[in-house]
């Protein structure tokens, strides 16, 4: 009797104990309400066959000692598909299944009455009530560890009140998702998330849900059956946000991604990619008709923004194309107008007097820091030039003599208009002796070093200067005649077809190069030519003027009266240098200017010419017939003065040629150089072809297993390294030609924009872009990447942009640093930096927050260029 009572009490207790529901089932008394696809008293068994509307669906129980049921051998009735048979395929299958379980279609769903034929099967990405989807998971990491079939079922619940049978076909609260991952018919883990933001469209869908939680079934295949590969600890700790993104593919299929931060870190940045997704939702047609957009504002906003982005992108491309066309059209109009101008077509030069007064130049004796000077640390100044006066009249030559460090080059730089880093005071005045006003004097400046284009002939180099520095109104025949005349005057006419050469390739001699340098300035018909060919003499010592006057024997006589006689037969120039090398203090104090020039007629009592006085009454008889034929005396003429502030960039005031002419002439020179020196061009092409074949063979037909995934990452790393380090040749090449660019830029040959554009046409395109296309094409198809045009051209486009960006970056380094070693070092370090933060050496999610912002500089290659490789 006691035993019977205990049994009765036990049964009562059992009846009152609520069932522990699996798969997040909802307890309903002693039973559980299960999500679609599972059944049994505790939602622990997978369904086997039947339809989504069946209340009591058959289930698959564990067999042969297995822990869990397996439904891989189950089949679906007609009109139903997907793992678990939850996805409808036709409207008739929805209608028949609904009628079989709930009678005629006369009930009410979502406030809308049903009538015969009012149920449809929606296969679009848009969810109206509760949508079912079943996808194949093709993650390479999972595929390598578990090569069997892996399926992910997802229930997206937008509004359960619009479901045909809310208690049967839907699960969970409104705006929630429920997901199950199956491997070879066995459930591995299940997840749920709520408070979803749904953005559904006709071609794409994006659900972002919160409060994610998951459960990995103990000792299932993924969750402990093989302890070494168990992911149970990872799955059970998932939390935060979940994103489910789907889109239509070009081949008509639907692909989705199951994205979550931890999943992305374990299985790759693409999360759990899914392909061949089957979508279906049995829904009342009236619900579809009454719902213009289930996510109203959000979806409309997303769609409009996407369309706006496409339109904006096309607009930018169109504006750039129109801008280039307008620029060239404008250049052609300006060029045509300049060539048809009514100005003088003769080449005139000269007639300008150069005067300088009270020229002083000093530099600080100490530097405060690495980047700039500080007044607090300056301990004094070193005077390079001290109170210098002088003038040069039309037709005169002035030689500046002095020992090393006397300040000769400094004075010439100041007179030539070059900016100096020190402190400069004084004035430089230009005046015309024929009464014409002077806007900007044309000054030809021949540097101490001969910086010439080595691949051009003598005639080509001079004609290049003539085309750019003579007015557009002068015809090409006149410019050629000017070049011929200059070559004849400099006695280099017989060298006109000889290449100038360099220290590596022998060309003309050093003296001949000096004459070519002078010719480059003479063809521009300068008013004043600054070079080293003395007849009149200015002697400097310690930055002070010792003598200014006529050449010949006059300097010897001048210093003989001051106690420095010249020995008979001794060279006057050597005698002057001996005096300037070690002058006495008395000579420096009494240094004076001798009025030896026939063009100077006013001398003060101490022998110094009053340069700072008015020269309006100066008498000249050498220009434009300024001698009175009746009296045989020079007549007075009025001079027009133009004073230039020291350090003013009057040499950079304007360009003689138009922009289009500059571009044409520069491109012509670059084309000649490319034709004559093909070694670098063919080296780039050969390297691209050989390394492309090598890389393609190394990663030939890589699969989508875990090993294939690693190989594709390695392929991307190899290509990025190859392209970035190949761009170093652009840096070295620019460092080589930088001195030539600076000389021509200072001489107003062309603008930097024209030069950079010519470099783009004849450096970036043939030496950077073309090899990139070759190596990328070879590697892409040999490695067996995505075999469609869209992915290929995206891959190619990103790599071309990457090459272009690296080339311009190396251009920037070459222009910023004079030391080529520093520029190359920084370029190499930057390459390593972008490889690190591109995800090759460290996972992006593992980068500390303080450094994660650095990814913004390198996202392009990894995120965009990598997508066709990794898929």
């Amino acid at each position: 009797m006691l035993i019977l009572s205990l049994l009765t009490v036990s049964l009562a207790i059992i009846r009152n104990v609520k069932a522990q529901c699996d798969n997040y089932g909802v307890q309903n008394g002693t039973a559980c309400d299960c999500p679609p696809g599972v059944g049994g008293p505790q939602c622990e068994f997978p369904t086997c066959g039947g339809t989504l509307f069946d209340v009591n669906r058959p289930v698959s129980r564990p067999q042969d000692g297995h822990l869990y049921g397996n439904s891989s051998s189950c089949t679906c009735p007609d009109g139903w598909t997907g793992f678990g048979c939850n996805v409808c395929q036709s409207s008739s299958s929805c209608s028949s299944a609904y009628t079989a379980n709930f009678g005629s279609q006369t009930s009410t769903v979502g406030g809308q009455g049903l009538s015969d034929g009012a149920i449809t099967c929606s296969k679009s990405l848009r969810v109206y009530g509760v949508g079912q989807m079943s996808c194949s998971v093709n993650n390479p990491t999972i595929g390598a560890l578990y090569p069997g079939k892996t399926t992910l079922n997802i229930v997206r619940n937008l509004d359960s009140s619009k479901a045909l049978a809310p208690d049967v076909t839907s699960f969970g609260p409104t705006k929630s998702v429920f997901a199950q991952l199956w491997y070879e018919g066995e459930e591995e883990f299940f997840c749920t998330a709520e408070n979803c933001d749904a953005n559904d469209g006709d071609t794409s869908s994006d659900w972002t849900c919160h409060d994610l939680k998951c459960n990995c079934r103990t000792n299932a295949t993924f969750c402990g059956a093989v302890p070494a590969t168990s992911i149970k600890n990872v799955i059970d700790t998932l939390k935060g946000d979940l994103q489910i993104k789907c889109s239509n593919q070009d081949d008509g299929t639907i692909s989705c991604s199951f994205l979550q931060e931890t999943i992305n870190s374990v299985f790759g940045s693409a999360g759990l990619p899914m392909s061949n997704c089957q979508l279906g939702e049995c829904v009342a047609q009236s619900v579809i008709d009454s719902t213009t957009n289930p996510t109203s504002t959000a979806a409309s906003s997303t769609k409009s923004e996407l369309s706006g982005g496409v339109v904006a992108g096309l607009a930018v491309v169109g504006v750039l194309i129109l801008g280039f066309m307008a620029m060239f059209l404008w250049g052609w109009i300006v060029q045509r107008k300049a060539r048809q101008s009514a100005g003088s077509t003769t080449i005139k030069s000269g007639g300008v007097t150069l005067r300088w007064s009270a020229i002083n130049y000093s530099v600080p004796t100490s530097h405060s820091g690495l980047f700039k000077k500080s007044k607090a640390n300056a301990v004094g100044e070193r005077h390079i030039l001290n109170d210098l006066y002088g003038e040069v009249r039309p037709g005169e030559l002035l030689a500046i003599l002095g020992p090393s460090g006397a300040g000769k080059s400094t004075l010439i730089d100041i007179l030539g208009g070059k900016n100096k880093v020190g402190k400069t005071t004084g004035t430089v005045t230009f005046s015309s002796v024929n009464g014409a006003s002077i806007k900007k004097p044309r000054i030809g400046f021949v540097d101490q070093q001969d910086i010439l284009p080595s691949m051009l002939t003598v005639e080509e180099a001079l004609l290049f200067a003539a085309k750019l520095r003579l007015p557009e109104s002068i015809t090409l025949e006149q410019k050629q005649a000017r070049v011929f005349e200059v070559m004849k005057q400099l006695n280099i006419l017989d060298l006109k077809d000889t290449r100038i050469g360099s220290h590596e390739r022998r060309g003309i001699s050093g003296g001949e190069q000096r004459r070519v340098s002078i010719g480059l300035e003479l063809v521009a018909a300068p008013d004043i030519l600054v070079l080293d060919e003395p007849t009149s003499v200015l002697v400097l010592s310690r930055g002070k003027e010792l003598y200014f006057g006529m050449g010949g024997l006059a300097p010897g006589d001048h210093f003989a009266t001051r106690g420095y006689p010249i020995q008979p037969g001794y060279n006057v120039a050597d005698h002057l240098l001996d005096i300037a090398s070690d002058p006495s203090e008395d000579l420096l104090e009494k240094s004076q200017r001798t009025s030896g020039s026939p063009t100077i007629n006013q001398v003060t009592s101490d022998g110094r010419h009053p340069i700072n006085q008015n020269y309006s009454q100066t008498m000249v008889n050498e220009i434009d017939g300024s001698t009175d034929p009746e009296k045989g005396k020079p007549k007075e003429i009025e001079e027009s003065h133009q004073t230039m502030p020291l350090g003013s960039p009057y040499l950079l005031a304007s360009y003689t040629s138009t922009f289009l002419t500059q571009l044409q002439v520069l491109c012509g020179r670059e084309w000649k150089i490319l034709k004559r020196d093909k070694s670098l061009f063919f080296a780039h092409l050969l390297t691209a072809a050989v390394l492309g074949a090598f890389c393609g063979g190394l990663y030939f037909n890589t699969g989508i297993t875990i090993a294939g995934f690693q190989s594709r990452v390695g392929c991307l790393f190899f290509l990025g390294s190859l392209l970035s380090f190949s761009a170093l040749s652009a840096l070295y090449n620019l460092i080589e030609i930088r001195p030539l660019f600076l000389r021509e830029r200072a001489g107003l040959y062309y603008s930097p924009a024209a030069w950079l554009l010519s470099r783009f046409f004849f450096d970036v395109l043939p030496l950077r872009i073309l090899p990139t296309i070759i190596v990328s094409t070879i590697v892409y198809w040999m490695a067996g990447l995505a075999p469609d045009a869209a992915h290929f051209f995206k891959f190619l486009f990103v790599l071309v942009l990457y090459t272009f960006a690296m080339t311009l970056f190396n251009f920037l380094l070459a222009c910023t640093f004079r030391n080529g070693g520093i520029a190359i070092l920084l370029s190499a370090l930057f390459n390593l930096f972008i490889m690190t933060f591109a995800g090759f050496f460290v996972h992006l999610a593992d980068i500390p927050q303080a450094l994660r912002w650095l990814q913004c500089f390198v996202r392009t290659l990894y995120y965009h260029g990598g997508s066709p490789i990794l898929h």
Side-chain angles (χ1 to χ4, degrees), residues 649-661:
Y650 54 84
L651 288 180
L652 307 179
S654 62
Y655 300 99
T656 305
S657 56
T658 62
F659 178 83
L660 189 58
T661 299

Side-chain angles (χ1 to χ4, degrees), residues 126 178 252 391 407 478 493 541 581 597 635 657 700 729 771:
R126 188 187 303 276
F178 175 77
E391 71 174 358
Q478 289 177 303
L493 189 59
S541 179
S581 298
S597 173
K635 66 181 181 180
S657 56
F700 185 74
S729 64

Side-chain angles (χ1 to χ4, degrees), residues 720 723-724 797-807 831 834 861:
L723 297 178
S724 59
F797 179 68
V798 171
L799 289 183
V800 167
L801 286 183
Y802 176 68
T803 300
F804 186 60
M806 290 304 303
T807 301
N831 289 336
I834 63 175
L861 177 63

Side-chain angles (χ1 to χ4, degrees), residues 695 698-699 702 708-724 776 779 783 785 795 798-799 802 834-835 838-840 858-870:
C695 183
L698 186 64
Y699 301 105
T702 55
F709 176 83
Q710 294 173 342
S711 296
R712 293 176 184 225
V713 172
C715 181
L716 178 60
F717 176 80
F718 183 88
L719 282 177
S721 303
L722 173 63
L723 297 178
S724 59
S776 302
V779 171
L785 305 182
F795 171 80
V798 171
L799 289 183
Y802 176 68
I834 63 175
M835 292 172 190
F840 293 114
V858 293
R859 281 180 177 269
T860 301
L861 177 63
Y862 182 78
Y863 287 103
H864 299 292
S867 58
I869 293 182
L870 303 179

